[in-house]
Amino acid sequence: MDLRFAGTDSGIDGVEAIRRLAAEAPGMPVVMLTSYSGRADVVRALEAGARGYVLKAGPPEDLFRAVRSAAEGGLGLAAEVVGDLVGQVVSPAPELTQREREVVRLMAGGHSNRSIADALYLAEATVKTHLVRIYRKLGVDNRAAAVAEAVRRGLPELT
């Protein structure tokens, strides 16, 4: 299954297709074969029921190994995917606070610093301080990149 699979129904991607397969054919092993290696994508696919996650750019042996492992009831993950997931556990990315998530949500809605300050009953300087911390935690340097990274990480307020 491809992560960005475009099904016949609008709005269906590979993760949703896996969810539906799991509901209609429980126990059917599905391996995700995709170009997207983001941590949030891998986690979403595995939570939906994928039994493997392999990158299209990887060696064919990764795919063969993942398919065999999934067919035997195991989990088949490409080495890059495992490394990324283990890296997250060993050295997790700093989490945004609840207030920082609120600021990102309002940024995603196109609000200015002044508008965010008014909505959250904060001083505009406090909003700027939150932005500096958000940018640092997300590893970005502007508002658009912060929102994009927050969405990529699967912040529930934005998805």
Side-chain angles (χ1 to χ4, degrees), residues 84-92:
D84 194 31
L85 292 174
V86 169
Q88 174 65 21
V89 172
V90 172
S91 178

Side-chain angles (χ1 to χ4, degrees), residues 47-65:
E47 287 177 344
R51 301 298 304 154
Y53 200 101
V54 180
L55 302 178
K56 289 179 180 177
E61 294 76 29
D62 282 356
L63 177 59
F64 303 147
R65 193 172 18 260

Side-chain angles (χ1 to χ4, degrees), residues 89-111:
V89 172
V90 172
S91 178
E95 293 291 323
L96 297 180
T97 66
Q98 181 61 38
R99 180 60 86 185
E100 290 165 345
R101 289 193 306 271
E102 291 170 348
V103 170
V104 172
R105 180 181 53 78
L106 291 168
M107 274 195 316
H111 292 269

Side-chain angles (χ1 to χ4, degrees), residues 3 31-32 34 36-38 41-42 45 51-55 76-78 81:
L3 188 68
V31 173
M32 187 69 71
T34 185
Y36 303 94
S37 63
D41 291 329
V42 174
R51 301 298 304 154
Y53 200 101
V54 180
L55 302 178
L77 301 173
V81 172

Side-chain angles (χ1 to χ4, degrees), residues 102-159:
E102 291 170 348
V103 170
V104 172
R105 180 181 53 78
L106 291 168
M107 274 195 316
H111 292 269
S112 66
N113 289 357
R114 168 83 321 210
S115 176
I116 293 169
D118 291 344
L120 300 177
Y121 305 102
L122 300 172
E124 195 168 350
T126 303
V127 171
K128 290 177 183 178
T129 299
H130 283 305
L131 291 175
V132 168
R133 291 179 180 152
I134 290 165
Y135 293 173
R136 186 182 68 243
K137 287 180 179 180
L138 297 179
V140 299
D141 61 5
N142 63 61
R143 295 168 84 91
V147 171
E149 179 61 15
V151 168
R152 189 191 72 76
R153 291 185 183 194
L155 262 77
E157 297 90 347
L158 301 176
T159 54

